Structures are given as structure tokens and as C-alpha cells.
Amino acid sequence: MKISVSGTYSSGKTSTVLALSYYTGIPRTLAKTIREIMPEAVPGKRLSEVTPAEYLQLAMRRHTGRAVAEAVLGDTFLSDGSSLQEWIYGAARVRYGMNPSATAQMLDEIDPADLTDEMRFFDQVISQYGHAFRQHVRSTFDAVVHLENEHAMTDDGHRPMNEKFREYCDQMLAQTIDDLKIPLWTIRGTMEERLEEIVSTFAFPVVMPMDEALARMRADYAAIDLRLEHDRAGVAVP
């Protein structure tokens, strides 16, 4: 069974997938994250600083990495999100700006009439990405576990600190999955409660104690390079 663990920024996708993979023995995809791609793709920049053209490059790299990782694992795996994120996070930037943190205090979304020519073209291209990415996700996944947007956003200098932006992405993810007719389960609660509910829902095997799975997840998560792009630019590939 191919399952995507979906959710918006700071919903706990990565930690849930790590823990669930250890707990059940089901392999997880190992595609690079946007944060890991940044130093190679746009060295020296934060995500908040990328241009529309650069964002499209990042989305293409991320989707390609996902597709390769999914193909390698075959018919059984857990995925940290899906290619829907690259499309939706881009589409949301048309509404809230390329740096959503800078528009966090705006009462309304950006009026389409106020978009620059560059952003209008970006909107058209990201819409076409969405067409392709939706087809890919629909043909790939058997089910989606959507993590409810119930935790405060982590301000790590990478995530866009805009609650309206995050809520829009969350709603668009859930709605798109429903539109694609992929079976969807919304999960909430503590990490332990999430794992138990997912295992119960899909009748997954359990191959180790939960405490051990959580300890391994925390060790893996602690090893993730969380430095900002400026700090990691020195190791970027020219």
C-alpha cells in the first residue's frame, strides 16, 4: 500500500513518517526536502528570498526527487507529503506573495489586479505544474493520511510565518485529495495517538515497541541539517 502522510507546514509530517516507518517496518521515501535542495539550486538564499523562476526550479527538483524515490520502493511505502505540496505552496504564493511572512499582517489576499506580470506568468506556470502533479499523485497513492493543522508553527527562519497562508495550504491539500477521489483519513492528537490510529485504520503490523520507534525518530530528526540556506551555502555545489 502506498500512503502519503499529508499536512501543511508544522503539522508533523516528517516526524510522523519517521516514527511510523520504524513502528511498522514499512519503508519510507528518502527524497530530498526543499531545505536540502536549496544550497544546490539557489546557493546563498533563504526560501523567503527566491524569485518566482527559482521557486519553479525548486518545485521541479522536489517533484522529480519524489517520483524517483517512489518508483524505487515499488508498491509499499510511506511518503512525507506528496507533490501536491510543491504546487499548492506555489499557488498560495500567488495569493500571499513570494515571501508570505512579509504579508502576514495583511487583512486580505493580494488582489489579482495587483499582480506583476512576473507573478501572472508564475501563476500560469504553477497551475500547469499542478495539472501534472495532481495526475501523478492520483496515479501513485492508494490512500492519504492528513494531519490536522493543530500545532503552532515553528519559527525556524525557513517556514513562512503567515497563519492565513498555512490555513489556505491546509484546506487546499485536503480539498484536492478529496477531488482526486483518493481515500482520505484525517488524524489528530499526540504522536502516540496518531501512530495508534494509523496502525488501527490500516491494520499495519507492529515490529517494535512504540517507545523505541519514537526514540529512533527523534534521533533521526535531530540529525537533519536544519541550518538556514545562508549558513549552508559554503557546501553548495557551484
Side-chain angles (χ1 to χ4, degrees):
M1 194 172 202
K2 296 172 287 187
I3 296 179
S4 166
V5 177
S6 178
T8 189
Y9 284 98
S10 288
S11 60
K13 295 185 298 298
T14 300
S15 56
T16 300
V17 167
L18 286 169
L20 186 62
S21 180
Y22 280 122
Y23 193 43
T24 64
I26 298 172
R28 61 183 179 85
T29 57
L30 295 171
K32 286 185 177 181
T33 65
I34 287 288
R35 187 193 292 272
E36 293 170 312
I37 293 168
M38 290 281 297
E40 296 180 3
V42 283
K45 282 194 171 185
R46 302 173 191 266
L47 185 57
S48 60
E49 298 168 338
V50 301
T51 66
E54 289 167 341
Y55 182 89
L56 293 172
Q57 182 207 168
L58 290 169
M60 177 273 293
R61 284 177 180 255
R62 176 69 162 138
H63 166 68
T64 301
R66 285 186 186 278
V68 170
E70 292 160 3
V72 167
L73 290 177
D75 293 331
T76 303
F77 61 81
L78 305 168
S79 176
D80 183 350
S82 74
S83 294
L84 292 179
Q85 290 171 214
E86 281 63 68
W87 160 55
I88 288 172
Y89 290 171
R93 280 170 165 79
V94 176
R95 292 171 173 259
Y96 295 98
M98 289 305 299
N99 177 13
S101 296
T103 63
Q105 304 307 314
M106 290 177 55
L107 297 178
D108 299 311
E109 300 171 2
I110 296 172
D111 191 318
D114 294 332
L115 293 175
T116 63
D117 289 342
E118 182 181 36
M119 285 303 292
R120 289 193 181 93
F121 184 69
F122 175 76
D123 186 21
Q124 294 173 10
V125 176
I126 206 68
S127 293
Q128 292 301 308
Y129 274 24
H131 180 65
F133 293 178
R134 288 194 299 273
Q135 289 181 332
H136 172 77
V137 168
R138 181 173 55 196
S139 66
T140 299
F141 291 101
D142 300 307
V144 173
V145 171
H146 187 75
L147 303 180
E148 189 159 313
N149 182 18
E150 57 182 332
H151 300 303
M153 186 131 54
T154 302
D155 187 358
D156 60 359
H158 177 79
R159 293 176 174 89
M161 299 304 293
N162 184 328
E163 200 57 43
K164 295 189 294 293
F165 173 87
R166 185 165 76 139
E167 290 172 359
Y168 175 82
C169 292
D170 183 67
Q171 293 165 5
M172 196 170 175
L173 277 166
Q175 183 60 56
T176 300
I177 294 162
D178 187 60
D179 292 344
L180 294 176
K181 309 300 183 187
I182 302 174
L184 172 67
W185 283 266
T186 298
I187 304 292
R188 62 174 297 131
T190 65
M191 179 63 70
E192 292 85 353
E193 289 168 342
R194 288 178 176 185
L195 295 182
E196 291 290 12
E197 186 169 354
I198 294 169
V199 165
S200 174
T201 297
F202 296 99
F204 285 155
V206 171
V207 299
M208 70 173 60
M210 184 179 293
D211 287 349
E212 183 179 349
L214 292 175
R216 292 192 183 192
M217 174 273 287
R218 294 186 184 107
D220 283 356
Y221 201 87
I224 296 173
D225 191 345
L226 297 177
R227 287 175 296 166
L228 295 176
E229 287 70 32
H230 282 83
D231 299 327
R232 296 193 296 167
V235 298
V237 176

